[in-house]
Amino acid sequence: MAGPETLSDKAKLDAAKTSASAGDAASYVGTPAVGTSKAAAAAGLATVGPKDSEVNNRRRRLVWCAVTAFLGAWFIAFLRFFLPRTLFEPPTVFKIGYPSDYALGVDTKWQQKFRIWVDRTPDRVFVIYARCTHLGCTPDWKASENKFKCPCHGSGYDSEGVNFEGPAPRPMDRAHVELAPDGQIVVDTSRLFQWPKGQPSHFSDPGSFLPV
C-alpha cells in the first residue's frame, strides 16, 4: 500500500502532464491557410509587398493619362454630335478699296480671300468671279501670256475673262460693284452678271462695272 508521499508524487506527475498537453495545444497551429500572412511566414516569404518605385508610379500616370485622353476624345465626339454643323464661308459683300488703287490690267490680290480678280480697263473697273465656267475650278492668271488658264481641263480666257479655248462654254461671271458713301468699291459676289452662250451679254448692265 502506497504511502502519502507516493500519492503526492503521482498527483504532481499528472499535473505536469496536463500542463504540457495544454501548452502543446496552445502552440500548435497546424498548416496555415494558403494566401494568409501566416502561410507566407511559414514558407519563409516576406509578408509585406514590394514598395512602389518611381518606374511603377510613372507607369500608373501614363495609364491614367491614356485613359483620360481616350474618354475625353469620346466625350468631345459625343458633344459634337449634338452641335449644328455650319460651314464658314467668306462674306459675299465686302470692300476692296478705291478705284484709284488699281492700275490698268488684272489685280489678283483678292483671289485667295474672296476668289475675285479686279480688272481695270481705260474706261471701267469690273470684278471677275474666279470660277471656270466648265466645272468650277479656279483658273490661274498668266501675266506673261496675258490670259487666264484653268489648270483642270485647259480652258483659256482673255484678260477680261472671255473664253477663247478649251471646254469652257462661256465667259467667267462678273460680280456686282458699286461705290460706298466713303468712295470705296463694294463687291457683292451673290449677284453675278453672265454672258450665256449664244445669248446677249450682261457685262454692260448697271452694276456690272464702274466707269472711270
Side-chain angles (χ1 to χ4, degrees):
M1 182 175 181
E5 293 182 359
T6 303
L7 293 175
S8 177
D9 291 339
K10 186 177 181 181
K12 291 180 179 180
L13 181 59
D14 292 339
K17 289 181 178 180
T18 302
S19 177
S21 298
D24 291 342
S27 62
Y28 177 73
V29 295
T31 303
V34 177
T36 64
S37 60
K38 291 183 179 181
L45 302 176
T47 58
V48 180
K51 295 182 180 180
D52 287 343
S53 63
E54 184 64 25
V55 174
N56 290 335
N57 290 333
R58 289 179 180 176
R59 288 175 180 172
R60 290 193 187 95
R61 286 196 294 267
L62 179 61
V63 171
W64 277 112
C65 288
V67 171
T68 303
F70 177 78
L71 294 178
W74 272 105
F75 181 71
I76 293 174
F78 176 77
L79 292 180
R80 184 68 182 86
F81 179 78
F82 293 98
L83 295 177
R85 298 184 180 183
T86 57
L87 296 177
F88 297 95
E89 298 181 353
T92 59
V93 180
F94 46 87
K95 293 181 178 181
I96 59 172
Y98 301 91
S100 58
D101 295 338
Y102 299 94
L104 291 176
V106 177
D107 194 309
T108 62
K109 73 173 66 174
W110 304 110
Q111 178 179 337
Q112 294 297 324
K113 188 174 183 180
F114 297 121
R115 201 181 183 183
I116 63 167
W117 298 297
V118 181
D119 201 332
R120 179 166 181 170
T121 63
D123 64 335
R124 63 181 59 186
V125 173
F126 55 91
V127 171
I128 301 174
Y129 190 58
R131 180 178 61 191
C132 180
T133 56
H134 178 219
L135 293 177
C137 301
T138 301
D140 299 317
W141 167 243
K142 305 290 186 180
S144 60
E145 302 176 47
N146 196 39
K147 70 176 183 180
F148 296 99
K149 188 71 174 179
C150 182
C152 299
H153 300 93
S155 296
Y157 304 83
D158 64 19
S159 61
E160 296 188 9
V162 178
N163 60 308
F164 66 90
E165 64 179 356
R170 58 183 178 82
M172 287 186 283
D173 301 332
R174 297 183 183 181
H176 183 274
V177 290
E178 62 183 16
L179 289 179
D182 60 0
Q184 293 193 62
I185 302 173
V186 178
V187 180
D188 185 355
T189 56
S190 67
R191 302 165 62 185
L192 300 176
F193 297 88
Q194 300 180 349
W195 185 351
K197 184 178 181 179
Q199 299 183 28
S201 169
H202 294 281
F203 289 168
S204 294
D205 291 357
S208 65
F209 68 94
L210 292 174
V212 292

